[in-house]
């Protein structure tokens, strides 16, 4: 038997040595001494993951390790169960220690001073306030072609329709923004516009001149999109060079 095989058997005899333990990683004996339950199951999952990952590193003939995929059971299920249990416990703890304040019941005979939708609908609520963009047509004697509320509903349809059609326009296989700067800039434009139009929807609560806020709503998104495009376009050449160099290191041409 080769010395390396003997060393490998000695290392695996008690399950230690493959990944040297440190101050944050319990030893194999400490893990085995734990009682049955989710904690021990979680530690065994991570131990098995480290072992299989280390085996793949030792067997791989490439400069960098191959990608290792784990089955859903038990690897993914145990990890997800541990994470879910932690966050559910945190929510129960916060709900028990910091209960939310329940205000007085609403008065059905009195209209609230401020009427707002849920925060995630602020952008849609802001599109309903685009009345200043609704043009007055001289051919109609200075009257508007449609009511401001109809104009706002139409603006919602246009925005939602554009979002729905984007996946059909961009069918690339890019996985990072730097690979397609244009579409990344479109995404930045959309995110900034949703923030600014949401701020416009609550302009009565924003300490800023309403006219300035209205102008910034349509000025900031294209500026942010242009900056994002310029930065990603500058980074793209160096990124592609590094990507190709790394690919040929992993898969050298024959």
């Amino acid at each position: 038997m080769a010395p390396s095989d003997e060393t490998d058997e000695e290392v695996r005899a008690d399950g230690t040595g493959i990944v040297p333990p440190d101050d944050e990683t319990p030893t194999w004996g400490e893990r085995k001494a734990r009682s049955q339950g989710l904690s021990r199951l979680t530690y065994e999952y991570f131990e098995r993951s480290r072992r299989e990952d280390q085996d793949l590193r030792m067997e791989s003939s490439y400069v960098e390790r191959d990608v290792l995929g784990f089955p859903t059971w038990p690897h993914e299920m145990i990890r997800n169960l541990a994470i879910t249990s932690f966050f559910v416990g945190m929510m129960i703890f916060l709900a028990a220690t910091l209960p939310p304040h329940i205000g007085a019941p609403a008065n059905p005979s009195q209209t609230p001073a401020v009427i707002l939708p849920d925060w995630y609908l602020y952008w849609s609520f802001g599109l309903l306030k685009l009345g200043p963009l609704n043009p007055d047509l001289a051919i109609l004697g200075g009257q508007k072609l449609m009511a401001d509320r109809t104009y706002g509903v139409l603006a919602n349809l246009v925005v939602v329709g554009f979002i729905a059609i984007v996946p059909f326009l961009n069918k690339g296989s890019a996985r990072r923004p730097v690979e397609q700067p244009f579409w990344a800039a479109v995404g930045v434009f959309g995110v900034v516009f949703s923030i600014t139009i949401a701020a416009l929807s609550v302009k009565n609560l924003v300490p800023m001149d309403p006219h300035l806020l209205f102008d910034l709503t349509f000025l900031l998104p294209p500026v942010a999109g242009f900056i994002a495009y310029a930065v990603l376009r500058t980074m793209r050449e160096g990124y592609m060079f590094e990507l190709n160099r790394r690919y040929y290191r992993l898969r050298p041409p024959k």
Side-chain angles (χ1 to χ4, degrees):
M1 182 179 296
S4 59
D5 297 337
E6 296 178 356
T7 304
D8 186 61
E9 289 183 359
E10 293 176 357
V11 168
R12 298 178 186 223
D14 59 349
T16 60
I18 297 177
V19 178
D22 51 25
D23 296 337
E24 299 180 357
T25 304
T27 62
W28 178 257
E30 293 174 346
R31 296 191 187 96
K32 296 294 288 184
R34 291 179 179 272
S35 60
Q36 294 287 345
L38 181 60
S39 59
R40 178 178 176 181
L41 199 61
T42 304
Y43 279 121
E44 289 178 355
Y45 153 68
F46 285 112
E47 179 68 21
R48 180 182 299 179
S49 301
R50 285 193 294 268
R51 286 190 179 190
E52 294 179 359
D53 186 74
Q54 184 67 19
D55 291 342
L56 189 62
R57 288 173 181 267
M58 297 171 61
E59 296 173 1
S60 178
S61 58
Y62 297 115
V63 178
E64 298 186 10
R65 68 181 179 90
D66 295 333
V67 177
L68 178 63
F70 298 108
T72 302
W73 175 261
H75 296 73
E76 300 296 332
M77 293 296 295
I78 295 177
R79 183 196 63 185
N80 294 343
L81 180 60
I83 296 175
T84 303
S85 301
F86 171 77
F87 283 105
V88 170
M90 288 297 298
M91 288 188 291
I92 295 176
F93 173 77
L94 293 176
T97 56
L98 301 173
H101 173 71
I102 300 179
N107 186 359
S109 62
Q110 181 180 2
T111 303
V114 179
I115 301 177
L116 293 174
D118 293 332
W119 64 268
Y120 49 83
L121 293 176
Y122 279 1
W123 65 271
S124 179
F125 190 57
L127 292 174
L128 297 176
K129 297 186 176 183
L130 297 182
L133 296 181
N134 192 5
D136 300 330
L137 301 179
I139 193 174
L140 298 179
Q143 299 294 325
K144 296 182 178 181
L145 182 62
M146 62 184 74
D148 289 344
R149 68 183 69 179
T150 306
Y151 188 81
V153 173
L154 183 61
N156 275 272
L157 295 177
V158 171
V159 171
V160 174
F162 177 77
I163 296 175
I165 202 175
V166 165
F168 298 96
L169 298 177
N170 178 26
K171 297 183 179 181
S173 58
R175 302 179 61 183
R176 295 173 178 83
V178 70
E179 297 178 8
Q180 288 191 347
F182 173 77
W183 290 107
V186 172
V188 172
F189 173 90
V191 171
V192 176
F193 179 71
S194 64
I195 295 175
T196 56
I197 198 69
L200 181 65
S201 68
V202 291
K203 59 183 180 180
N204 295 335
L205 306 177
V206 177
M208 183 182 297
D209 181 68
H211 298 287
L212 177 61
L213 180 61
F214 189 87
D215 295 338
L216 292 178
T217 299
F218 300 95
L219 179 62
L220 291 181
V223 171
F226 176 79
I227 294 176
Y229 177 80
V231 172
L232 294 175
R233 184 71 177 179
T234 304
M235 297 171 54
R236 188 174 186 274
E237 183 176 356
Y239 168 80
M240 297 304 294
F241 172 80
E242 180 65 23
L243 185 65
N244 292 331
R245 186 175 68 88
R246 187 175 183 181
Y247 173 80
Y248 282 110
R249 285 181 59 196
L250 295 172
R251 305 291 189 273
K254 298 181 180 179

